[in-house]
Amino acid sequence: MKRLFLLIALCSLMITTNAKIEIKKIDPTNWFVGMKDASLQLMAYGANIRNAEVTTNYPNVRIDSLVRLDSPNYLLIYLNLKDAQAGTMNIDFKIGKQTTTVKYALLNREMSGDERKGFDNSDVLYMLMPDRFANGDPKNDATYDTAEKPDRNDYFGRHGGDLQGMIDRLDYIASVGATAVWSTPLLLDNEPKSSYHGYACADYYRIDPRFGDNALYRTFVTACHRRGLKVIMDVVTNHCGAAHWWMRDLPYQDWVHQFDRYTSSNHLSSVNMDPNASTHDRMVHESGWFDTSMPDMNLNHPDLLQYFKQWAVWWMEYADLDGLRVDTYFYNEKEPMSEWCKAVRTEYPAANIVGECWTTSPAQLAYWEAGTKNKDGFCSYLPSVMDFPLQSVLCKALTDDDTSWDSGMKLIYRSLSHDFLFDDPRRLLIMAANHDTERVADEVGKNPEKAKLVATLLATLRGVPQIFSGDELMFASKDLTQGHGGLRVDFPGGWPGDTLNLFDASQRSTVQQDVFDHYSRLFNWRKTESVIHHGRTMHFAVEDNMYAYFRYDDNGAVFVCVNAASQPCTINWERYDEVLRNYKPEGKDVLSGRSVTVGHPLYVAPLSSLIVKFER
């Protein structure tokens, strides 16, 4: 009987050993020579390849190690590419007598990492959701290999917007005054419902086919660059999607955080810096799932961390990107994420990364900005964070004419009074709205004059301004009861057959065109105003709901007066003498083009703004 069992075992081994080796997938799909970090992790996936022997005779390429994972269907290959040249590398996988050769491309870089300049204070980001922006190719609205099919009547369904639609409307985006485009994720999201937003990734190296493909994404970036538009890719390191291909066969059992039963994050971001927080609460915050369809990644696993480092670098190189926006940043394990940021920034010192750290506490937000001297010694290496403390009050300050201490424009004054907490508040990404917040028009009661004041503030305050697509045309939520599904409206004219086309100025209402012109005038003016990009700020106490401030440097100053009151205000020039005495008394009104002389009477109408440029 023992001999029989032994014979069966030997036969089984022979079948396994002599079976054809099929490598179904290798991530990254190719790589680049001449990187500062010469190491490369290849994740190979195929049936029973864990015990394969791997060799290559490609010049100046060395296999440093092979890592056998929990699953029998993965193998990690760590290579050293120092001094390797571009070409096609043969990688041989051998199991028993069977050998399979995989051809792997090593490419030259278009430029060195030091040459790649990212977005900065001089830029204006136009933020859009591809599925809701424009449908340039209706043929890809549904594909054979994706689960969810289009339905424009479904608030949370796929509507069909895509990369071609974005390419077709780039001239419109540039006309608003934007210098960079940030779209929500374009990578494959294959959840059976609500997949349009893209935040539940199913493949980190593949553009969702309902948006286009990898080559079309590169075409989009090239088309942007031709128009002077930079491109920021939205990435998610905290979680993948439940439909990600590796969720059917995890590389390691601890590749994602797993619990005996579903455990959500407690969303207590304060545990990251709270000296009184319990270890358990921090664990639940960073290991609990963001949503039932979003498995939480274990970035403490060194192999996963390396996979994510390379993924970010690969897209920067492959698509010629100008920067990254990281979703749900502080839900990640903070120490590994600081390593991730450091690795990306080491390869691209002048590129930019902005993190979504959604807190209205300035102190907690400042904790995440690189350069902040935190008491616990933590450094994120994250160059920019989204200014949610300012965002939370930007529209609220305009909702009434209350002059009490905790309302009106005093809210903005108080928000900027916390700038001492930041290493450099000029690096903050500022916005009034985005895809996750209420729309500006909804917040200001659809009042176009208040909407224009929001644009004035975004264009002139310190930081990198971001516009949410449609706010420049007074878009409002279709149905406030539908939450995100209601506010993420389609852009009229983006779909074949739309009866209204708001990309066409002749089809806009008088109000829409007036607000658009205000945005366009301000943000196109801002492009060349160095004092707005890099200047210091001095603001003055709010009086009668009028907020005044200067952006100034050694060459000039910009005076901004935002009168949010229901009554006109008079400019008291003497009050601003400590700044104005350093500049010529004659200035230019940016909005009207008329001359302004210090000392002459000047009135600012209710719900309007004044912007005056003074020279040294």
Side-chain angles (χ1 to χ4, degrees), residues 289-584:
W289 289 23
F290 197 78
D291 185 86
T292 54
S293 64
M294 297 175 177
D296 197 82
M297 305 308 301
N298 178 15
L299 294 185
N300 282 317
H301 201 298
D303 291 330
L304 173 60
L305 182 61
Q306 183 62 25
Y307 182 97
F308 276 168
K309 288 176 183 177
Q310 292 183 172
W311 158 54
V313 168
W314 186 86
W315 278 108
M316 291 287 290
E317 288 290 324
Y318 172 82
D320 194 19
L321 297 175
D322 303 289
L324 304 169
R325 181 261 185 185
V326 185
D327 181 68
T328 53
Y329 185 88
F330 57 34
Y331 286 89
N332 294 283
E333 294 89 337
K334 67 180 186 181
E335 289 85 2
M337 271 309 290
S338 71
E339 290 184 43
W340 182 90
C341 283
K342 185 177 181 180
V344 176
R345 290 278 289 172
T346 297
E347 197 65 59
Y348 310 103
N352 205 347
I353 307 171
V354 58
E356 182 199 31
C357 302
W358 197 331
T359 174
T360 57
S361 163
Q364 291 184 24
L365 183 66
Y367 181 84
W368 299 103
E369 184 195 21
T372 300
K373 294 177 174 58
N374 292 313
K375 188 175 181 180
D376 62 2
F378 173 74
C379 177
S380 70
Y381 295 98
L382 180 65
S384 179
V385 289
M386 300 171 71
D387 192 350
F388 281 101
L390 178 61
Q391 183 276 329
S392 68
V393 300
L394 205 57
C395 290
K396 185 179 179 182
L398 298 165
T399 56
D400 57 50
D401 196 13
D402 194 343
T403 57
S404 63
W405 70 276
D406 194 27
S407 62
M409 299 305 289
K410 292 185 179 71
L411 295 173
I412 298 177
Y413 179 92
R414 190 171 65 184
S415 182
L416 266 67
S417 73
H418 291 95
D419 278 0
F420 70 94
L421 294 164
F422 298 97
D423 179 63
D424 186 351
R426 292 170 295 188
R427 298 204 310 259
L428 299 175
L429 182 73
I430 64 172
M431 67 283 181
N434 64 25
H435 61 303
D436 286 327
T437 71
E438 301 300 329
R439 283 195 167 273
V440 168
D442 293 327
E443 288 284 88
V444 299
K446 299 184 174 63
N447 185 316
E449 301 309 318
K450 291 183 178 181
K452 289 193 290 185
L453 293 184
V454 170
T456 297
L457 290 162
L458 285 177
T460 57
L461 288 173
R462 87 291 185 267
V464 185
Q466 169 249 296
I467 303 166
F468 180 33
S469 176
D471 283 348
E472 73 278 7
L473 289 169
M474 291 295 290
F475 281 19
S477 295
K478 188 174 181 180
D479 185 343
L480 287 170
T481 67
Q482 295 295 321
H484 287 168
L487 72 90
R488 297 167 176 175
V489 295
D490 294 350
F491 203 117
W495 277 252
D498 281 0
T499 56
L500 177 66
N501 180 10
L502 293 184
F503 291 109
D504 180 357
S506 68
Q507 298 189 41
R508 299 170 195 156
S509 69
T510 301
V511 168
Q512 287 172 330
Q513 190 60 46
D514 181 45
V515 174
F516 177 89
D517 287 344
H518 187 77
Y519 268 81
S520 181
R521 187 180 302 116
L522 276 176
F523 288 108
N524 277 294
W525 162 78
R526 188 188 186 278
K527 288 180 181 179
T528 57
E529 287 297 331
S530 177
V531 66
I532 297 293
H533 307 159
H534 307 293
R536 300 180 292 278
T537 298
M538 182 180 293
H539 63 175
F540 294 79
V542 174
E543 292 183 346
D544 299 324
N545 218 16
M546 185 272 284
Y547 180 44
Y549 54 93
F550 285 87
R551 302 298 308 285
Y552 67 103
D553 60 18
D554 293 340
N555 298 313
V558 173
F559 172 66
V560 184
C561 171
V562 179
N563 183 17
S566 57
Q567 301 295 325
C569 69
T570 303
I571 301 298
N572 178 6
W573 293 113
E574 291 182 1
R575 188 179 182 217
Y576 311 118
D577 181 64
E578 64 181 292
V579 178
L580 290 172
R581 65 190 175 200
N582 299 309
Y583 305 94
K584 296 176 181 178

Side-chain angles (χ1 to χ4, degrees), residues 11 119 213 447:
C11 290
F119 67 98
D213 58 22
N447 185 316

